[in-house]
Amino acid sequence: MNAPTPVNLALDAEKQLVIEWSDGARRRYTVRELREKCPCATCREKRNAPQQGPQTMNAGVLELLPSGPRPDQVQIEAMSPVGHYAYSVTFSDGHDTGIYPLELLRELGTTV
Ligand SMILES: [Zn+2]
């Protein structure tokens, strides 16, 4: 049996991603969740990096940065299939190296 594949991708009224799957499942993904779970090497390294005390970006520091949207304001700008097994996602913060395998997409999000 083939693994389920997305048959429809859409952004809902709140600009969150909704995927309809070939097995009838419908899942909603917040952009924030997708961005935080980005599987690219850079993000994986960041997540695995040891906490560095004062240098760690916290909410206070983030607000002082002059450019770039805050994480909760990031949106999906584009999403395109990579072969038959994954999707690449371009976020509005300019990050576009994340390739999301279908397996990962099935684990993330919530059923709607
Ligand atoms: Zn990434």
Side-chain angles (χ1 to χ4, degrees), residues 35 38-44 95 97-98 100:
R35 186 67 180 81
C38 177
C40 84
T42 307
C43 292
R44 279 205 316 260
H95 194 68
T97 49
Y100 292 72

Side-chain angles (χ1 to χ4, degrees), residues 65-81:
L65 294 175
S67 65
R70 287 161 42 153
D72 57 353
Q73 294 172 326
V74 173
Q75 294 176 1
I76 290 175
E77 291 205 330
M79 199 163 163
S80 53

Side-chain angles (χ1 to χ4, degrees), residues 7-64:
V7 292
N8 190 42
L9 303 168
L11 295 180
D12 69 11
E14 292 169 0
K15 305 262 189 202
Q16 308 302 306
L17 177 67
V18 176
I19 300 182
E20 287 173 34
W21 296 79
S22 57
D23 63 353
R26 228 171 103 89
R27 300 183 76 77
R28 182 179 191 268
Y29 307 80
T30 64
V31 177
R32 178 173 208 156
E33 176 185 22
L34 290 173
R35 186 67 180 81
E36 284 174 355
K37 295 284 166 61
C38 177
C40 84
T42 307
C43 292
R44 279 205 316 260
E45 266 172 38
K46 245 185 236 171
R47 283 198 296 268
N48 293 334
Q51 297 295 313
Q52 293 179 356
Q55 288 174 345
T56 302
M57 208 183 257
N58 59 37
V61 173
L62 205 55
E63 284 189 336
L64 296 175

